[in-house]
Amino acid sequence: MKKPKKTNLKVMKKAVSTEKIIVSGIVQGVGFRPTVWRIAQTLQLQGDVSNTGDGVVIHVKGSQQKINQFVQRIISYKPPLARIDNIERSDLISTYSFFESFTILASTKTSINTGVMADAATCKACFTEIFDTNNHRFQYPFTNCTHCGPRLSIIRNIPYDREQTSMANFLLCERCNDEYTTESNRRFHAQPNACINCGPQCSLVDKFGNKIAIENAISDVAQYLLAGKIIAIKGIGGFHLAALASNQQAVSTLRQRKCRPSKPFALMAKDSCMVEKYCLLLKNEKALLESPAAPIILLLKKKQQKKENKKLANNIAADQNTLGFMLPNSPLHHLLLNSIDEPIILTSANISHEPPCISNDTALDKLKDIADFFLLHNRDIENRVDDSVIRFINGAPQFLRRARGYAPQSIVLSSEFNEAPQILALGADIKNTFCLLKNGQAIISQHMGDLENYATYCDFRHNLTLYQRLFQHQPEHIAVDAHPEYSANKTGSEIALNQAVPLHTIQHHHAHIASCLAENNYRLHDKAVLGIVLDGLGYGEDKTLWGGEFLHANYEKSNRLAFFKPVALIGGTVAIKQPWRNLYAQLSTCLGWKWVKKHYNQTTLVNLLAEKPLKTLDAMLDKNINCPLTSSVGRLFDAVAAAVGLCFEHIEYEGQAAIALENKITKKAWKKAHFNFYPFSVSQGIVDSSPMWKALLKDISNAVSTADISAKFHKGLSLIIQDQTDELTKKHTIETVVLSGGVFQNKTLFEDVYNGLTTSGLCVLSHRHVSANDGGISLGQAVIVAARLIKENESKRE
Ligand SMILES: [Zn+2]
Ligand SMILES: [Zn+2]
């Protein structure tokens, strides 16, 4: 954003000047002009405000000091959904000095360019209306205005007009139309504007689709939930399954029917006071919880709760020290939660790894064996947008999943990227997102999930077409991962072939680093950084699987300086699901199985492993059958977790073993680990876990607690990362370090590494706007291609 221009107050103090101010960003369709008008009124300034293709244009007359104040207040008091990317100010000649008041100029239809925004939770004004018995929107579950309501989830095409959304079927009543067409009204051009007389309606049906209630649908659902039933509820971006969080039996039934034995369920509470009964809620966590994006936030469980609080079932997030809470994101949720007055489970309504249902018919078909009743409505969800998930690490939010409330908000890149052509990057196959680069901005899709699932893949194709249409994007270059098997790559090749545009393959971990550089506005020509990328698996330059990397990288290229010692992934993808395989691979590679057996024959660990078909595994290793090598730190975490008996046999979801291991650390154990941690060794840039395994086995045989073992592992790992970083940054005169990859979503590890490195004087960049896991890859791929093309052009010019 440009700084307000400097003013020589002594000269200008009494002079009256006139300025033209252009505000660009997300400024149309969000109630920006009435806000500008109000600020102008309070400062007694004259002029006008209008919408143009360039953004909001303001003409303003007054003293220089007041105009400066005016601009400052626009920045400070912008409407909730607005985002100011730039403010351009210029002097106007005297023809404009006849202004006598401040007016909002009418918009012609073509002058409004609202773009596509993220779905936003109910604003305060709408919230007040739905609980006001005198308001005609009292208890109306689809109330919204320009400050709130569905956006991405209901759009079909641009321009963003009612006819191009799933509100097209609902004809505005006279009263709603008045609001919609009155410039000063909060609902002026609020495309989903509706009321009880003209808008969508709810209905409650049983699992056979028989209507049970219409008028009292929401209060009936509340009664059913209180009685222990499971209800499928149509939300903003998809269906959820709801159950009463205090009802152990209902939660068990939900787990059983959903075939989801242990993965934590998200909760919804009616307000942050209710959340605070169960979790510690810091100021910035509360602010984000209550923000228009209304994400799920992972919050630390309170150890002790007041007796008067409804006790939550202990099978919601067993073995975790956090609970994922969100607040209502639609009036429907507000009305429901208000009549229940205790938290409910609200988990994405899907079956076996498929994406959540969005249509009434699919929900009734697919969820008939899970839900007892269905709370439906007749406003179609055009585009699936799952709930976003955030965890605060080191006091700042980090995305575990970026979707509802955030997508398709663009990320403004460092200005050199303005000259990049239009690029489409297709991301990774796990936690997939794609990214469109255009006009120096990166538009990242909502998280879609794992593309190996056919329904998710279909969703990915649907969104690709949608985003290209919504953002009028015509890719001149396509970027994909280097992995030969990714479905995203096949799609990329196909598009590149059909549209005759170049295809670029980008190394996975380089993309991780570049995404972090991009979201931190790192400049294109700035010095290369040390990127530390720890994750599950990514295809490496040497055709092995990487995942524990120290890369010397800038936007254009990367060079592998160091990495964790590669260990076989016995059985390939099976080993990702079965941590004991990684344990066996680690022990065989680092210490030799014979040695382990000889020294630790009496331990449970050795006994458990001995029951496995180790001969077959050895044969596979010998003949190198389906045993790709990997330097993955994600797999190292799985192996350590398995060694202490956590998720030994299998994991239900990615990262489960690592989360379980981190959760075992107690404050006391962590303190002790500062003085007593596991050693790692390094030789010629290869970090070797052998000394760590030796020490860990000794602790296991001495019955050291899991809390201590976990703490000593985390601390040892953090210190070897810091030592390696220290050595590499000195050797290569690097000042900036990037931390990326899903393993850094481990709060203990991230905070210790981050704080250690910053204390030693390094500048550390981490993820804030995109996910550190594979959800961030697409952004990295796009900026790498952009950087290479820009640099190529520069060298041609020279
Ligand atoms: Zn509102
Ligand atoms: Zn109406």
Side-chain angles (χ1 to χ4, degrees):
M1 195 186 304
K2 286 180 187 166
K3 281 185 186 150
K5 61 184 186 182
K6 279 187 184 159
T7 315
N8 185 337
L9 288 177
K10 265 184 198 160
V11 181
M12 304 293 290
K13 209 165 192 176
K14 278 178 188 162
V16 167
S17 45
T18 314
E19 274 191 37
K20 179 183 181 181
I21 302 168
I22 303 176
V23 189
S24 55
I26 303 170
V27 289
Q28 299 181 336
V30 291
F32 205 86
R33 291 171 311 148
T35 306
V36 170
W37 179 83
R38 270 192 299 277
I39 296 170
Q41 295 300 319
T42 52
L43 288 169
Q44 294 176 310
L45 290 166
Q46 290 84 49
D48 60 36
V49 54
S50 60
N51 274 325
T52 74
D54 299 329
V56 164
V57 173
I58 305 163
H59 298 115
V60 64
K61 190 178 87 176
S63 74
Q64 194 64 55
Q65 191 192 355
K66 277 201 171 170
I67 294 180
N68 288 342
Q69 238 178 331
F70 174 67
V71 173
Q72 274 314 315
R73 286 194 195 178
I74 290 174
I75 297 169
S76 310
Y77 302 115
K78 64 178 179 1
L81 299 187
R83 187 182 84 188
I84 299 175
D85 290 340
N86 194 25
I87 295 182
E88 209 179 299
R89 295 171 64 177
S90 55
D91 287 324
L92 269 189
I93 38 168
S94 54
T95 37
Y96 281 88
S97 57
F98 58 79
F99 290 125
E100 283 180 352
S101 63
F102 198 95
T103 50
I104 298 178
L105 299 183
S107 305
T108 56
K109 214 168 184 186
T110 50
S111 66
I112 304 177
N113 175 21
T114 49
V116 188
M117 293 193 299
D119 302 295
T122 316
C123 74
K124 279 209 176 98
C126 288
F127 176 84
T128 310
E129 288 178 1
I130 60 169
F131 287 107
D132 174 3
T133 46
N134 295 319
N135 193 288
H136 80 289
R137 284 195 175 85
F138 175 61
Q139 294 193 333
Y140 181 58
F142 302 93
T143 302
N144 67 83
C145 71
T146 49
H147 301 161
C148 71
R151 298 283 191 277
L152 176 65
S153 59
I154 58 163
I155 195 166
R156 292 179 193 138
N157 207 343
I158 50 157
Y160 175 54
D161 270 333
R162 193 176 177 96
E163 306 90 77
Q164 311 260 38
T165 71
S166 54
M167 288 299 292
N169 308 336
F170 301 96
L171 199 66
L172 286 159
C173 70
E174 209 174 311
R175 203 161 170 179
C176 286
N177 192 51
D178 274 350
E179 297 169 328
Y180 184 82
T181 48
T182 307
E183 305 244 354
S184 56
N185 195 287
R186 205 174 89 237
R187 296 199 163 93
F188 175 66
H189 277 246
Q191 303 306 343
N193 187 27
C195 75
I196 187 85
N197 299 317
C198 66
Q201 309 286 344
C202 277
S203 57
L204 176 64
V205 306
D206 65 16
K207 59 172 153 188
F208 307 104
N210 302 317
K211 272 206 175 113
I212 294 174
I214 295 178
E215 247 168 51
N216 303 317
I218 295 177
S219 52
D220 284 2
V221 167
Q223 292 316 310
Y224 282 129
L225 283 171
L226 289 166
K229 299 287 181 199
I230 293 164
I231 320 281
I233 298 176
K234 190 174 183 180
I236 293 289
F239 271 83
H240 287 107
L241 286 162
L244 199 67
S246 62
N247 188 327
Q248 185 97 13
Q249 185 53 48
V251 181
S252 298
T253 309
L254 178 58
R255 287 209 175 280
Q256 215 175 8
R257 290 185 191 168
K258 214 173 174 244
C259 303
R260 181 162 149 164
S262 53
K263 192 176 180 186
F265 285 133
L267 298 161
M268 184 179 271
K270 77 167 181 178
D271 53 28
S272 40
C273 287
M274 189 178 271
V275 175
E276 273 180 304
K277 288 180 179 174
Y278 304 98
C279 290
L280 288 172
L281 189 59
L282 302 175
K283 208 173 137 197
N284 44 7
E285 289 171 331
K286 182 169 181 254
L288 197 61
L289 205 59
E290 291 173 348
S291 71
I296 295 170
I297 303 189
L298 298 192
L299 300 164
L300 213 56
K301 283 180 192 168
K302 271 188 181 165
K303 290 235 167 67
Q304 284 183 346
Q305 284 168 25
K306 287 185 185 151
K307 269 190 196 143
E308 66 265 27
N309 290 352
K310 261 269 153 52
K311 210 170 163 286
L312 298 186
N314 59 20
N315 48 354
I316 294 170
D319 303 325
Q320 306 251 351
N321 53 18
T322 57
L323 286 173
F325 260 111
M326 64 179 148
L327 297 185
N329 55 65
S330 78
L332 186 152
H333 295 143
H334 279 295
L335 295 166
L336 177 64
L337 268 291
N338 205 59
S339 37
I340 294 176
D341 212 31
E342 58 174 290
I344 59 168
I345 281 173
L346 209 58
T347 181
S348 301
N350 56 346
I351 49 160
S352 56
H353 306 291
E354 284 193 5
C357 303
I358 53 173
S359 81
N360 292 350
D361 291 344
T362 328
L364 280 166
D365 175 37
K366 297 217 165 180
L367 307 173
K368 60 181 183 293
D369 297 326
I370 305 178
D372 299 308
F373 297 97
F374 292 75
L375 181 58
L376 308 176
H377 61 69
N378 56 350
R379 183 178 70 197
D380 290 340
I381 299 172
E382 292 292 330
N383 310 303
R384 177 181 288 109
V385 201
D386 220 337
D387 296 316
S388 293
V389 185
I390 286 173
R391 185 181 188 186
F392 275 73
I393 299 186
N394 232 12
Q398 278 206 11
F399 279 103
L400 305 184
R401 189 203 285 160
R402 183 182 180 274
R404 181 181 50 72
Y406 297 95
Q409 260 171 38
S410 64
I411 287 174
V412 182
L413 305 171
S414 179
S415 58
E416 308 86 47
F417 286 97
N418 291 348
E419 52 176 291
Q422 297 192 30
I423 297 166
L424 168 66
L426 293 163
D429 262 19
I430 293 173
K431 300 188 166 62
N432 179 270
T433 67
F434 57 77
C435 172
L436 316 180
L437 200 138
K438 186 182 175 179
N439 299 335
Q441 305 215 358
I443 299 141
I444 305 165
S445 74
Q446 64 269 40
H447 159 102
M448 284 166 284
D450 300 348
L451 298 186
E452 63 173 23
N453 179 282
Y454 180 68
T456 309
Y457 180 75
C458 294
D459 201 35
F460 162 77
R461 294 304 297 243
H462 164 88
N463 285 329
L464 261 178
T465 314
L466 173 81
Y467 272 63
Q468 288 187 266
R469 201 163 58 212
L470 296 183
F471 297 97
Q472 296 175 293
H473 191 269
Q474 280 169 331
E476 297 160 79
H477 292 267
I478 311 270
V480 295
D481 192 273
H483 199 299
E485 303 294 325
Y486 275 179
S487 339
N489 300 1
K490 288 172 191 157
T491 308
S493 317
E494 181 196 309
I495 299 173
L497 196 69
N498 287 342
Q499 306 191 7
V501 293
L503 179 76
H504 306 254
T505 54
I506 307 293
Q507 202 278 318
H508 190 93
H509 302 89
H510 183 203
H512 267 297
I513 299 168
S515 81
C516 189
L517 293 176
E519 68 153 295
N520 281 285
N521 283 116
Y522 200 75
R523 299 196 69 95
L524 180 59
H525 297 93
D526 278 358
K527 272 180 72 178
V529 300
L530 178 71
I532 307 171
V533 191
L534 311 180
D535 70 349
L537 299 169
Y539 197 70
E541 273 162 10
D542 59 0
K543 298 186 178 168
T544 69
L545 297 168
W546 292 7
E549 313 302 316
F550 296 80
L551 305 179
H552 192 194
N554 58 13
Y555 282 113
E556 287 169 87
K557 46 190 181 203
S558 72
N559 178 26
R560 197 185 198 196
L561 297 180
F563 52 92
F564 279 72
K565 184 175 176 171
V567 166
L569 196 63
I570 312 172
T573 45
V574 184
I576 301 174
K577 306 248 160 82
Q578 299 179 355
W580 66 268
R581 286 173 183 263
N582 298 298
L583 175 60
Y584 183 65
Q586 285 281 344
L587 293 177
S588 313
T589 312
C590 292
L591 307 173
W593 180 239
K594 269 188 187 156
W595 186 91
V596 176
K597 250 186 4 188
K598 189 177 155 202
H599 290 85
Y600 295 102
N601 211 9
Q602 297 311 312
T603 52
T604 325
L605 174 156
V606 170
N607 291 336
L608 279 175
L609 276 179
E611 283 171 19
K612 296 291 177 190
L614 299 183
K615 279 208 175 112
T616 316
L617 265 63
D618 287 337
M620 287 168 78
L621 280 168
D622 272 354
K623 292 178 188 145
N624 193 17
I625 303 167
N626 203 11
C627 285
L629 283 177
T630 178
S631 53
S632 167
V633 173
R635 298 292 83 80
L636 176 64
F637 264 91
D638 287 353
V640 173
V644 295
L646 296 167
C647 309
F648 181 87
E649 289 294 340
H650 70 273
I651 50 167
E652 191 185 328
Y653 56 97
E654 210 211 353
Q656 185 185 2
I659 294 167
L661 189 65
E662 187 197 358
N663 275 316
K664 287 290 172 192
I665 302 175
T666 56
K667 265 192 187 152
K668 200 175 141 199
W670 185 239
K671 253 190 191 162
K672 278 199 294 185
H674 282 62
F675 308 98
N676 184 7
F677 46 84
Y678 294 145
F680 287 77
S681 66
V682 185
S683 156
Q684 293 178 319
I686 300 178
V687 182
D688 189 344
S689 310
S690 308
M692 182 279 293
W693 282 112
K694 256 190 187 167
L696 186 143
L697 287 178
K698 202 172 167 195
D699 275 355
I700 288 181
S701 70
N702 290 334
V704 171
S705 76
T706 306
D708 282 328
I709 292 178
S710 178
K712 286 165 85 172
F713 168 67
H714 277 80
K715 189 66 191 179
L717 183 62
S718 167
L719 290 175
I720 193 65
I721 292 167
Q722 293 177 49
D723 287 351
Q724 233 355 64
T725 306
D726 186 55
E727 191 188 316
L728 295 172
T729 48
K730 280 189 180 131
K731 190 170 164 193
H732 299 272
T733 49
I734 301 170
E735 288 135 26
T736 306
V737 175
V738 161
L739 303 182
S740 189
V743 171
F744 276 117
Q745 291 177 331
N746 180 311
K747 186 171 150 75
T748 310
L749 182 71
F750 178 91
E751 289 180 350
D752 205 61
V753 171
Y754 184 95
N755 296 331
L757 295 181
T758 41
T759 310
S760 69
L762 287 161
C763 167
V764 184
L765 303 179
S766 62
H767 290 279
R768 290 291 176 262
H769 304 291
V770 299
S771 176
N773 62 35
D774 282 5
I777 289 274
S778 59
L779 169 64
Q781 293 169 341
V783 291
I784 289 171
V785 172
R788 287 177 181 167
L789 293 167
I790 293 167
K791 290 264 178 96
E792 215 173 90
N793 263 341
E794 280 172 1
S795 58
K796 269 186 209 157
R797 264 182 254 150
E798 273 161 14

